[in-house]
Amino acid sequence: MIAAATARWATLADNDFGVTSGEWVRGTKSVLDPAGPQSGRIHQLFLDYFWLSVVVYVLVVLFVIFAVILRRRRARWTGPILAEPAPSREKLRGWLVGLATLATTIALFFLLAGDHAAGRAIRSLSTDNALKIRVTGHQWWWEFRFEDEAPSKIFTTANEIHIPVGRTIEVELHSPDVIHSFWVPNLHGKRDMIPGHPTRIAFRADKASEYWGQCAEFCGYEHAKMRFRVVAEPEEKFNAWKAAQLQSSVQPATDSQKKGQYVFLHTTCVMCHTIQGTTAGAMMGPDLTHLASRKTIAAGSLPNKRGHLAGWISNPQTIKPGVRMPANSLPPDQLQALLDYLEILK
Amino acid sequence: MAIKQRKLELGVLVASLALVTSCKREDRPFQTSAPSAEAIQFTRMTDFRAGGPSISGNQPSPAMSADETPEEKEFEENAYMVGEGKRLFSAFNCVGCHAHGGGGMGPALIDDQWIYGHEPAQIFCTIIEGRPNGMPSFGGKIPSFQVWQLASYVRSLGGLVPGDAAPGRDDDMHGGPPENSAPNQKPNDSSLPKSAEMPK
Ligand SMILES: [Cu+2]
């Protein structure tokens, strides 16, 4: 029991993040553990606020205690205090109140200036040579399109992206349905995604790690399960990942995989999903070309394992009620074949 | 006197509560088609259609099996269902051919002319089977509950579903009045398509 709790605490401390099934998928999600210049600046601002508030709080509490003690002592010496205090003491009090007001004003202006400076600093990241990603927030999943000058180098993925460490990432945020908000706590603050009005932010990851992102603007039933993952890694590893994403999908080799592809292309799936290299090209759901290369499914709700995938395809409504993918009651042989096929989509 | 009034008030309250619970407008049944073996056959019918062969093939046409026809109320008196139909009408690109109901390459759906009938089951059949003059078949590609949602939305375009369930706003440029203020029309079945009308 205690061992289990400690183990759990260890994972928590390691900042892994729980998904719906109670399992853990690697990745940090904390504003207190900044991994880039922007989140660092925001964290610094938070610390300024925090420590100043602590000082003020301690001072106020000390003064209250001091006042209580003083008054009680005096009451013991002189009995009930008369209504009119001595004029000299009145003057002292006036000075004290004046000083406290001045100190408060200075402190507030200090915070205001810090706030302003932080706001400027996090917007000042140079976007020369930035990696441009067009992000679309859908109810309730994320679409990422990696832009490039050359059309043949543009690719689309969903719910999980890799980014190179140390390079500025410029994201352009879109929404086709309702307002969402793009938030990777370890990398930057929140930015709303507004239908018909693209917004932008730029950020940089200085530490190679895996981070969780989360929609931060209530957007319907499954808002809480609208997550994504950001894998920050060295440039070479990122380039390898990008090259793999640019590939067309793996073609089925075994009979079962071939049957699975046939099922995919001849049932409902083809109405909503894209798999590059096949005839499936709809954009109502996540691009599945490289589904097997992602660690989670359903926008970070479940680890990407065969059993979860089977459950998701059979009845996504039990996992994310209201989700915009219908239940599919495929006969067992077709479902197994479909899973065999989806598992090769590295 | 006062007690009588109290009783009356209570009565009205209870009655309106009963109304609220029996109101289908706001239900959001996400589990519309609980997975079952029939559900599959339901969406896959004959090998015999424009969209190419289906997987299991040779199933009877769904619109033919009466027991599968849902209670009309379930879809047409429910704002969520009609609203989902509206979303799917764009998502599955019906708008590409029918525009937002006004018609384009496909016939207008906001008028009172119905070439293949205005009943939900007839529209269901139109979507599943396709129609010879260019309406593609979506059989096996759209699960049946979504087809019913689409059918109820198509009917709302012609003012055939209750106004309180029909959508009241658009997310895009539309021009016309919203579906919930579509005029009530007397549907005119077995109309001729525009192209077949005599030149005036
Ligand atoms: Cu949200």
Side-chain angles (χ1 to χ4, degrees):
Chain A
M1 170 74 194
I2 292 177
T6 332
R8 189 155 174 115
W9 175 245
T11 16
L12 265 178
D14 210 5
N15 261 325
D16 281 3
F17 191 64
V19 288
T20 312
S21 62
E23 290 157 85
W24 300 85
V25 175
R26 229 198 138 63
T28 64
K29 184 188 190 185
S30 167
V31 280
L32 300 177
D33 183 13
Q38 272 95 358
S39 53
R41 199 70 178 70
I42 294 171
H43 184 235
Q44 188 53 50
L45 184 67
F46 166 75
L47 288 182
D48 293 349
Y49 268 71
F50 180 77
W51 287 118
L52 196 77
S53 308
V54 166
V55 170
V56 170
Y57 178 75
V58 168
L59 280 180
V60 168
V61 169
L62 281 182
F63 271 107
V64 168
I65 295 174
F66 177 70
V68 168
I69 294 175
L70 203 68
R71 174 136 274 211
R72 296 197 134 214
R73 287 233 171 123
R74 279 218 198 100
R76 216 180 302 144
W77 293 333
T78 62
I81 286 178
L82 301 173
E84 285 293 308
S88 66
R89 199 175 295 146
E90 181 73 332
K91 207 167 176 193
L92 180 68
R93 277 187 199 171
W95 272 105
L96 281 178
V97 170
L99 262 178
T101 314
L102 191 69
T104 310
T105 316
I106 291 176
L108 285 177
F109 268 99
F110 170 73
L111 292 180
L112 186 70
D115 202 3
H116 183 72
R120 283 183 67 98
I122 57 179
R123 277 196 306 272
S124 69
L125 195 65
S126 154
T127 52
D128 300 341
N129 188 32
L131 175 68
K132 290 199 170 61
I133 309 176
R134 183 191 154 103
V135 183
T136 310
H138 297 266
Q139 281 175 318
W140 294 276
W141 57 281
W142 304 84
E143 177 189 333
F144 297 94
R145 192 175 81 192
F146 282 65
E147 307 284 22
D148 201 292
E149 302 277 276
S152 64
K153 294 221 171 112
I154 294 175
F155 65 92
T156 303
T157 182
N159 302 333
E160 180 170 313
I161 53 169
H162 291 225
I163 57 170
V165 166
R167 182 156 161 212
T168 305
I169 315 293
E170 190 183 5
V171 291
E172 192 182 274
L173 306 169
H174 294 258
S175 167
D177 37 48
V178 298
I179 301 180
H180 301 277
S181 187
F182 179 91
W183 190 32
V184 191
N186 296 79
L187 298 178
H188 203 310
K190 302 167 184 173
R191 185 76 175 172
D192 277 5
M193 321 173 79
I194 300 160
H197 179 83
T199 47
R200 262 180 202 83
I201 47 171
F203 55 85
R204 198 175 76 209
D206 288 336
K207 250 197 303 193
S209 183
E210 299 178 28
Y211 309 105
W212 280 95
Q214 168 78 49
C215 177
E217 179 71 53
F218 180 72
C219 58
Y221 312 110
E222 294 310 331
H223 166 60
K225 290 184 190 162
M226 182 170 163
R227 303 179 186 141
F228 61 102
R229 285 162 38 79
V230 178
V231 181
E233 56 194 12
E235 188 92 30
E236 321 83 67
K237 268 179 118 182
F238 166 76
N239 287 336
W241 175 81
K242 184 175 167 185
Q245 294 289 312
L246 279 165
Q247 298 287 315
S248 188
S249 69
V250 177
Q251 285 308 311
T254 70
D255 281 350
S256 176
Q257 291 163 5
K258 282 184 188 144
K259 181 171 165 191
Q261 189 187 46
Y262 189 81
V263 171
F264 191 92
L265 296 178
H266 290 85
T267 55
T268 59
C269 323
V270 72
M271 292 296 288
C272 300
H273 292 288
T274 295
I275 296 184
Q276 299 291 341
T278 72
T279 50
M283 293 303 296
M284 254 180 81
D287 189 308
L288 302 179
T289 311
H290 299 287
L291 173 70
S293 73
R294 309 204 273 264
K295 275 198 185 156
T296 65
I297 54 169
S301 300
L302 288 171
N304 190 358
K305 293 183 185 159
R306 192 180 172 99
H308 291 311
L309 207 53
W312 172 258
I313 292 168
S314 308
N315 200 348
Q317 301 295 333
T318 53
I319 294 161
K320 285 174 88 167
V323 71
R324 289 176 169 181
M325 169 159 155
N328 290 282
S329 39
L330 296 166
D333 60 315
Q334 291 181 14
L335 179 62
Q336 294 306 328
L338 181 60
L339 294 171
D340 285 343
Y341 173 54
L342 292 178
E343 280 182 338
I344 60 165
L345 298 176
K346 284 270 187 270
Chain B
M1 187 61 210
I3 288 189
K4 238 187 190 168
Q5 197 173 341
R6 272 282 153 74
K7 272 192 178 157
L8 187 72
E9 277 170 8
L10 200 71
V12 171
L13 193 72
V14 170
S16 47
L17 270 182
L19 272 181
V20 168
T21 50
S22 65
C23 171
K24 288 220 159 46
R25 184 184 183 278
E26 285 302 328
D27 279 355
R28 297 190 176 207
F30 298 140
Q31 290 284 0
T32 346
S33 63
S36 71
E38 296 98 84
I40 284 240
Q41 298 169 354
F42 193 34
T43 48
R44 325 211 186 306
M45 294 116 347
T46 67
D47 270 343
F48 203 68
R49 71 164 65 83
S54 64
I55 289 195
S56 34
N58 285 332
Q59 301 296 333
S61 174
M64 310 302 164
S65 67
D67 52 320
E68 290 283 12
T69 312
E71 232 191 294
E72 220 169 274
K73 276 191 182 169
E74 214 183 294
F75 288 87
E76 306 223 323
E77 291 186 1
N78 183 301
Y80 176 68
M81 293 296 188
V82 188
E84 281 291 284
K86 178 171 176 135
R87 186 173 68 78
L88 296 173
F89 196 78
S90 293
F92 291 149
N93 204 22
C94 315
V95 290
C97 297
H98 295 280
H100 289 279
M105 175 272 188
L109 301 173
I110 45 176
D111 57 12
D112 58 354
Q113 310 286 306
W114 296 88
I115 312 172
Y116 299 100
H118 72 285
E119 292 294 336
Q122 291 168 320
I123 297 177
F124 184 97
C125 205
T126 296
I127 300 171
I128 289 286
E129 300 288 357
R131 295 296 185 186
N133 273 326
M135 168 73 192
S137 139
F138 290 90
K141 297 291 191 297
I142 305 183
S144 51
F145 77 95
Q146 289 188 332
V147 179
W148 289 115
Q149 290 172 339
L150 280 163
S152 65
Y153 175 65
V154 167
R155 279 166 54 81
S156 80
L157 286 167
L160 297 176
V161 313
D164 65 346
R169 62 178 281 269
D170 282 303
D171 289 335
D172 47 52
M173 311 263 260
H174 185 270
E179 290 81 358
N180 64 0
S181 51
N184 281 332
Q185 306 189 43
K186 206 169 146 304
N188 186 0
D189 282 352
S190 54
S191 297
L192 282 177
K194 282 268 178 296
S195 57
E197 279 170 4
M198 289 286 282
K200 295 215 173 85

